[in-house]
Amino acid sequence: MVQVSTVQNASLLPQFYSDFLGDKRQLTSSEIALLKKTNKNSDPSWKNIWVSKASFDASLVSGCEIYGFLVIGSLSASTLKYHDLALCEGLYDSYLENVLVGDDCVVRNVHYLSNYKIGNRNILFNIQEMSCTNHSKFGNGILKEGESESNRIWIGVGNENDGRQILAFENMITADAYIWAKYRGDHILQRRFLEITENQFSKELNTFGLTGDDVVIKNTTLLKDVKIGDNAYIKGAFKLKNITILSTVEEPSQIGEGVELVNGIMNPGSKAFYQAVAVRFVIGRNCQLKYGARLLNSVLGDNSTVSCCEILNNLIFPFHEQHHNSSFLIASILGGQSNIASGATIGSNHNSRAADGEMFAGRGFWTGLCSDFKHNSRFASFTLVAKGSYQNELNIIYPFSLIASNGPCEPITIIPAYSFMYNMYALARNKAKFEKRDKRKIKVQQIEMDPLAPDTIQEVELALRRIIELTGTYLISQKNKNALACKNKEELYVVAKNYLHKNPDAEFGLVDKGAQKKFGAIVIKTVKAYKMYRRIAKYFAVRTLSEYCDRNGKESLTKEDLKTISELPLFTEWVNVGGQIIPKLRLEQLLELIKERTIDSWEQVHEYYAGCQEQYEDAKAAYALNILEKLYSQPMADFSKKIYSGIINDVLEGNRAMYDAALVSRMKDFDDDFRMQTFDNAREMDAVLGGISDNEFILTMGEETKVFAEKIKRLFSDLNSLD
C-alpha cells in the first residue's frame, strides 16, 4: 500500500538537511504566490521549502511537484554549459522529494528525484528516476541496522564457487582484494577483514544520495542508491544501482550510453561506455570498460582496458588489456600487465567434478589467438602462450617463456627465456609503455612496471634450479659417466651445473613432467635458456647496485657500501600484491598486525603498503647482492678482480645484446617482404608506419644503453683496485 506523509516543521528535518539551513530562509509570501502558479506542493503552507538568503529567483522554479523537503541553493538567471549542452539555472518540470540542491544548479525534466543532496553547479537533465533508499550502501559490502546477512553483497573473485569471495569498499585497490582472497585458511584474518570494512561505514538508516560539485547527468534512465563524486559526467546510462562513482577534478569519471552498473565501486578517472555491463565489481583508477564488455563478480586493476568481452569471477591486477568480442576470462587471478587475445578462453570447462576451478598467472601473461585453458593452471611471469587448445592443467614455472601445444595427448613445448631471445623489443618496451599509460594523478599504490624485479628474478632462480635438476636426469638417461658416479642429488646437481657451463653449444631437450598434467612438457633450447637466465639475474643485480649508487651520490661501490648493504634486511621471497612487489615476510607481518588489531582500517593497510615501498629500493639492493653471491658461491667482498671484470664484461655484453635484440625484433616489421606487399614502395610504407629511425623508444633505448654502459664500467672500480 502506498503511504503518503509530509513533515512541515523544520525541527523535524533529518539532521543532514538541518545542517544546511544556516544560510537559508523560508519563502516570502510573494515567492509562494509566484511558485503556486506553476508548481505543486504537498505542503499547503509551503513551509517545507528553504532557499538561499544570498540569491533566489522564484521564477527559476517551474513545473515541479514538491514532496517532503526541498532546500535550494543560490539561483540566478545564468546559464550552465557543458560541451554543447547549455541550460538556464533552475528547477523545471521535475518531481522533487526530500532534496537538497546546491548553488547554481539545473534540474530539468527529472521525473523522479528523491532523497538526494545535489552538489554545486550540477546539471541534471532528462532523467527518469534518481532516488536513494535509507538503507543504501552505495556498493560497499556492508549491512545496515536490522539487515540480515543474506543482504550482504559479496564479490566472488578468483574461484567459480565463491570460495575466495570478498567485500567491496570505497578506495579498495587490488592489493586489498588479493590479501582478502588469497589467505582463506586464516579464519581470524578473514573476520578482521570483514570488521575493518564494516567499521568504516555508518549502519544508521539515514542514507541519502550524493552528487559532488560540477556533476553532469543527462538522458539517463535510472540512478538508484548512487553516490557520485566531483566532475563526473553521465550521459545516456541505462541503469546505475547501488554503486559509488568516485571522481575528482583531477581524475573525472565518465559513464556513457547504455551502460549498466550494479553493486560496485568505480574509482576516479575511469570510464564505462557503449552498453558495458558491470555487476558486483570494483573498477580501479584510469580504467575503461566499453563496447558491450561484461565485468561480473570481478575486481579490475588500475590502468586497465576491457572491451567487447566477458570477465567473470576474476581478480585482475593493473594494466590488463582485453579487447576482443570473443574473449572469455573466468575464475582467475592475473598479476597484471596482461593481454587476453581474441577468442582466448580461460576456464571454458572443468577438469574436476565441480565448478570450483581457478587459475593464477604472474605479471605479463599473454595468450595467443583462440587459445583455451583448463583449470587449475599456473603460469610464471611474462609467459607467452602460442595459439592452441591446452586440454590439461598446466604448471609453467619458467618466466619469460613461450609455451606451445602439440595437440591433445602430447607434451607441450616450452622455450624458457624466450622473450629475451626473440621478442626483446616488446619486453624492453614494457616499462616505458606502462609508465606512459599510467594516467593516475593519485597513486594510492606503487605498481612495479619493470619486467626485471624481485618477483620475476625469484622465478628466474627457480627456473635455473629446475633446468639444472632436469639436466641431471637427462645426463643419467644418457649414461654420462660423471652423472652415474654421483652418490646423491647434491652431487648430481653440481655435475649438471658444470655440464651446462662447459657445453655452451650443446643441443638437447629436457622432459618436465610437472609442466602439464598427464603428458608433461619438452623444454628446448636448454643451454641457451640457462645462460640467458643467468645473464638476466646478473644484469638485474648489477643494475640494482648501480641504482643504489645513484641514490647515494656515488659512482662506484666500496667495501663499506657492501658492508652497509649486507646489513640491510635480506628478503629472498617476494609477492606481487596487487601490482606492488612486497617481501613475503613483510606481507606476513601485515597480516599479523591486522589480526592483533594494531592495524584497524584499510587506510592503515594502505599506509603499510606505502611504508613497504619506501624500503623497496634498499631491499632490492640487499637482494641483488645476495643474487651475485649465489651466482659466484662466495661473499661479494671476497670477489677477485677477475670475477669483477667478468661481471662487468657479461653485463656490458648483455646490455648491448638486449639493445641489439630489441632493434632486430623491431626491424622485422620493416624488412619483411610480406609486410611490404600492401605498399607500392618504401616511401608509402614509411608514411603509413613510420621508419625505424623515427621510433622514439628505440632512440631512447639506444641512449640509455650508452649511459648504462658508462655507469657499469665505473661501478666496481674502487673494488677492483683493492688487493
Side-chain angles (χ1 to χ4, degrees), residues 58-70:
S59 68
L60 302 179
V61 180
S62 176
C64 295
E65 294 183 57
I66 302 165
Y67 292 82
F69 306 104
L70 177 61

Side-chain angles (χ1 to χ4, degrees), residues 14-34:
Q15 183 61 44
F16 166 76
Y17 290 101
S18 301
D19 292 343
F20 284 83
L21 298 184
D23 60 347
K24 303 297 188 295
R25 61 173 176 81
Q26 293 198 297
L27 298 169
T28 65
S29 58
S30 60
E31 288 170 337
I32 292 173
L34 181 58

Side-chain angles (χ1 to χ4, degrees), residues 8 23 73 133 170 263 273 286 333 363 432 542 551 661 674 717:
Q8 301 178 6
D23 60 347
T133 57
E170 285 184 35
N263 299 332
F273 294 133
N286 186 40
I333 298 178
R363 290 194 289 142
V542 170
R551 290 196 307 278
F674 285 91
S717 58

Side-chain angles (χ1 to χ4, degrees), residues 348-405:
S348 57
N349 56 36
H350 314 287
N351 286 355
S352 68
R353 293 174 177 81
D356 58 0
E358 55 186 64
M359 188 192 89
F360 180 87
R363 290 194 289 142
F365 181 64
W366 280 56
T367 64
L369 295 168
C370 300
S371 297
D372 66 271
F373 307 89
K374 304 300 180 288
H375 295 141
N376 288 4
S377 291
R378 187 178 183 94
F379 299 87
S381 300
F382 294 93
T383 298
L384 300 176
V385 185
K387 177 180 178 180
S389 180
Y390 298 85
Q391 302 196 7
N392 298 281
E393 296 90 333
L394 301 174
N395 181 25
I396 309 302
I397 68 164
Y398 305 94
F400 309 105
S401 65
L402 172 71
I403 66 172
S405 172

Side-chain angles (χ1 to χ4, degrees), residues 15 39 45 98 211 238 245 277 280 306-307 313 331 391 557 563 617 668 714:
Q15 183 61 44
N39 300 276
S45 71
N98 297 334
T211 69
F238 171 62
I245 304 167
V277 175
R280 298 192 183 218
V306 173
S307 62
N313 295 102
Q391 302 196 7
L557 285 169
K563 183 175 185 298
E617 295 301 329
K668 293 175 185 177
R714 299 189 297 266

Side-chain angles (χ1 to χ4, degrees), residues 5-244:
S5 62
T6 62
V7 181
Q8 301 178 6
N9 191 312
S11 64
L12 297 179
L13 276 167
Q15 183 61 44
F16 166 76
Y17 290 101
S18 301
D19 292 343
F20 284 83
L21 298 184
D23 60 347
K24 303 297 188 295
R25 61 173 176 81
Q26 293 198 297
L27 298 169
T28 65
S29 58
S30 60
E31 288 170 337
I32 292 173
L34 181 58
L35 289 172
K36 279 184 177 181
K37 293 180 180 180
T38 59
N39 300 276
K40 296 180 182 179
N41 193 342
S42 64
D43 182 0
S45 71
W46 291 76
K47 291 183 178 179
N48 61 336
I49 299 177
W50 287 261
V51 299
S52 171
K53 293 177 182 178
S55 175
F56 176 71
D57 184 345
S59 68
L60 302 179
V61 180
S62 176
C64 295
E65 294 183 57
I66 302 165
Y67 292 82
F69 306 104
L70 177 61
V71 181
I72 306 174
S74 297
L75 281 182
S76 61
S78 301
T79 298
L80 289 188
K81 186 174 182 180
Y82 186 82
H83 295 167
D84 295 331
L85 180 66
L87 296 171
C88 181
E89 287 184 21
L91 286 62
Y92 306 99
D93 303 315
S94 299
Y95 177 101
L96 309 168
E97 177 184 75
N98 297 334
V99 176
L100 188 150
V101 180
D103 295 336
D104 305 306
C105 289
V106 176
V107 179
R108 184 184 287 270
N109 296 346
V110 180
H111 295 218
Y112 185 74
L113 177 58
S114 175
N115 196 25
Y116 255 87
K117 187 266 178 180
I118 307 301
N120 300 316
R121 298 174 302 281
N122 277 208
I123 298 177
L124 308 183
F125 176 56
N126 282 351
I127 300 171
Q128 289 294 320
E129 178 181 343
M130 184 171 176
S131 63
C132 183
T133 57
N134 65 358
H135 58 270
S136 175
K137 299 96 176 169
F138 304 122
N140 296 290
I142 60 171
L143 297 176
K144 291 285 189 169
E145 290 177 353
E147 288 189 320
S148 67
E149 188 62 35
S150 62
N151 286 12
R152 194 186 299 277
I153 304 296
W154 293 89
I155 302 179
V157 301
N159 187 284
E160 291 181 88
N161 205 26
D162 293 339
R164 297 187 184 277
Q165 63 183 2
I166 63 173
L167 297 176
F169 55 87
E170 285 184 35
N171 298 310
M172 170 183 264
I173 57 178
T174 45
D176 307 329
Y178 174 76
I179 62 174
W180 196 329
K182 177 64 177 175
Y183 296 95
R184 306 304 293 186
D186 192 329
H187 302 298
I188 296 174
L189 180 65
Q190 293 296 311
R191 286 197 298 272
R192 287 289 295 134
F193 287 146
L194 192 150
E195 286 175 10
I196 63 177
T197 302
E198 286 271 12
N199 291 343
Q200 68 188 53
F201 299 99
S202 169
K203 294 181 178 294
E204 295 182 17
L205 295 171
N206 61 355
T207 308
F208 46 85
L210 292 168
T211 69
D213 294 338
D214 302 291
V215 170
V216 177
I217 307 173
K218 67 177 186 178
N219 303 325
T220 293
T221 305
L222 173 67
L223 299 98
K224 186 170 186 178
D225 297 341
V226 179
K227 179 179 177 182
I228 304 170
D230 294 344
N231 291 81
Y233 178 38
I234 301 171
K235 60 173 181 176
F238 171 62
K239 181 180 183 181
L240 308 178
K241 184 177 180 181
N242 189 35
I243 64 171
T244 292

